[in-house]
Amino acid sequence: MTNAELGRTPSLCEPIAKRRARDGKTFNIPQPFAQALMEGWTEGSPVDCLVVSPEFDVMGKMPLNDFFDECEKSGISHVEGYLTFLNNSLDVKFPGFNASTSDPLFQ
Amino acid sequence: MESLQDKITLHLNDNEKILVKGFIKPIEYTKYNFHEEWDELANLEVAEPENQYPITIFQSFLPSNAVSLGDCWEIKEDGVLEMLRQLHPDPHLEMDAEDSQGLWACLRAYNDQFAGIMFRIHAEFALKGGWFTPSQFAGHLVIDRIKEKIVRFQMHVPETTLNFDVGWDTIGCTDIGYCPQIELCAGTESDDIEFAMSITQEAAERALILCFYKSEQINWVPPDQAVEIAEEQGKLIHAISIDGPLSDESC
């Protein structure tokens, strides 16, 4: 889904409103899910990847620009790096939650 | 006109010319107001409102061999570049995002007299001091198979919420925005043609998008469906939150 759809970027509210007027579409998202996504966002990040449980717990989060930097630093491919992120989420290692302590993104 | 089982071949008459009209409306919106502060965007307009082309230019959009309904083929570049110059004098088919560049067409429908082709092209324009990348050029072509003429041609940038990306090298920043019309068209509307064989527009669009983005092989679902499926199957949700579209070049 787009950050624009969630109104994450305030300046996009106007084109969203105009698009809805053109298409007659409305947007409906379960509130707990939206909350989980907002919990997983990184400020200033244009793209975030998240793994969320059916109970709306964020199991892993990754701002994509950091991901590219980490892959380069670690010398691993993007495919391998992303698979590691997904597997770490499934293994309840909560990847991305230690970013503020400078722990590596890939554990 | 030839037919081999369920495959058809397509040709055009070399002696004809066709008038193509071009349109670019003023940009309506950019996130960081580039369209107000940068003259290249503030003054963006069509290079040639009208141009005559030999019919042979559209041969670029046709398959070299016989094709079946739903088949995709690569469009040849030369004719497309020449037509894009009617919109802007400096078009490029080689783009920064090399993994999603390309030009593809799909046979969507036909009967004994007419054939309908849908196509998708990724291209960008070099501006003074930067570049302008539409989300995509989507279009369709209706051909009279017996007379070997173009009935209808339209190539346009779809009117999505945000439909172009722009880079202003002078300040080292990018922006995203909406332009209500960037279009080339020729001929007359052909909505009343009844095709004996066809696939839906959505199916043709789907076949084309898969030519550009491997990520479209993933079965993305809307968020409310994702929650429902996750609950039913006891699985986690993999979500991508993104500033712009994932499946076009405007982000």
Side-chain angles (χ1 to χ4, degrees):
Chain A
M1 75 197 75
T2 68
N3 288 331
E5 295 280 2
L6 290 166
R8 177 183 178 184
T9 313
S11 63
L12 291 173
C13 289
E14 188 186 337
I16 294 169
K18 285 185 179 177
R19 198 278 302 274
R20 287 182 183 166
R22 286 197 304 270
D23 301 346
K25 285 180 188 171
T26 55
F27 188 75
N28 185 24
I29 180 172
Q31 184 62 16
F33 190 33
Q35 297 275 4
L37 294 173
M38 287 189 277
E39 179 194 329
W41 284 339
T42 299
E43 190 176 341
S45 169
V47 182
D48 293 275
C49 303
L50 303 109
V51 177
V52 181
S53 76
E55 296 78 31
F56 307 118
D57 298 314
V58 180
M59 309 298 293
K61 57 183 182 176
M62 182 169 68
L64 201 65
N65 287 346
D66 290 359
F67 164 73
F68 291 131
D69 292 340
E70 286 286 341
C71 284
E72 197 172 325
K73 204 189 302 182
S74 309
I76 61 174
S77 69
H78 296 160
V79 171
E80 191 181 343
Y82 204 85
L83 192 57
T84 301
F85 162 70
L86 293 177
N87 282 327
N88 285 343
S89 299
L90 290 168
D91 291 342
V92 203
K93 289 182 180 176
F94 298 100
F97 279 85
N98 296 322
S100 58
T101 61
S102 70
D103 283 352
L105 194 66
F106 306 126
Q107 301 175 31
Chain B
M1 176 176 69
E2 297 174 26
S3 176
L4 178 66
Q5 296 179 339
D6 62 344
K7 289 183 180 287
I8 65 170
T9 55
L10 297 165
H11 302 283
L12 292 169
N13 186 321
D14 289 349
N15 297 325
E16 298 286 326
K17 281 190 180 282
I18 188 166
L19 180 70
V20 175
K21 294 185 178 179
F23 306 91
I24 296 182
K25 281 188 177 170
I27 292 169
E28 203 170 280
Y29 170 84
T30 48
K31 186 173 169 182
Y32 300 114
N33 289 325
F34 278 20
H35 72 297
E36 292 177 348
E37 295 175 13
W38 185 14
D39 286 347
E40 285 286 300
L41 287 193
N43 300 325
L44 191 70
E45 59 182 13
V46 68
E48 295 178 78
E50 289 187 354
N51 200 3
Q52 285 243 343
Y53 297 92
I55 289 281
T56 48
I57 201 171
F58 291 97
Q59 200 70 41
S60 299
F61 291 83
L62 303 187
S64 305
N65 304 309
V67 290
S68 301
L69 212 55
D71 280 355
C72 293
W73 63 89
E74 282 193 90
I75 298 169
K76 300 170 200 64
E77 294 184 359
D78 292 349
V80 171
L81 271 175
E82 189 175 338
M83 298 192 77
L84 285 174
R85 284 190 197 101
Q86 184 175 349
L87 289 171
H88 185 276
D90 198 0
H92 292 262
L93 298 173
E94 290 174 5
M95 303 168 65
D96 275 345
E98 295 175 0
D99 58 344
S100 52
Q101 63 192 21
L103 313 82
W104 290 86
C106 175
L107 180 63
R108 192 191 79 76
Y110 67 90
N111 59 26
D112 286 342
Q113 185 174 3
F114 299 104
I117 293 167
M118 279 182 63
F119 61 86
R120 175 168 177 156
I121 293 167
H122 288 184
E124 59 189 20
F125 300 132
L127 307 178
K128 282 182 197 166
W131 41 265
F132 180 93
T133 306
S135 55
Q136 58 165 303
F137 288 96
H140 65 272
L141 193 57
V142 178
I143 294 170
D144 187 319
R145 298 171 66 196
I146 297 172
K147 296 178 183 172
E148 298 186 340
K149 288 175 185 288
I150 301 293
V151 174
R152 173 71 174 158
F153 166 78
Q154 187 205 26
M155 181 165 77
H156 75 289
V157 178
E159 293 175 66
T160 46
T161 306
L162 301 163
N163 62 3
F164 70 83
D165 196 12
V166 65
W168 192 357
D169 294 338
T170 307
I171 64 170
C173 285
T174 59
D175 201 353
I176 190 168
Y178 171 71
C179 180
Q181 187 181 26
I182 301 173
E183 182 179 1
L184 294 173
C185 60
T188 53
E189 288 293 343
S190 52
D191 295 338
D192 56 344
I193 294 176
E194 287 189 20
F195 290 103
M197 305 291 291
S198 68
I199 58 174
T200 63
Q201 184 173 325
E202 290 73 24
E205 285 173 351
R206 182 77 190 141
L208 287 169
I209 203 171
L210 289 171
C211 297
F212 291 89
Y213 302 107
K214 284 186 182 174
S215 59
E216 283 297 310
Q217 294 174 16
I218 297 169
N219 183 27
W220 301 101
V221 296
D224 53 345
Q225 272 187 43
V227 171
E228 210 174 290
I229 294 168
E231 283 173 350
E232 280 171 15
Q233 300 185 9
K235 289 185 175 177
L236 304 180
I237 300 168
H238 178 198
I240 308 287
S241 173
I242 186 168
D243 258 358
L246 190 59
S247 59
D248 68 35
E249 296 300 292
S250 65
C251 178

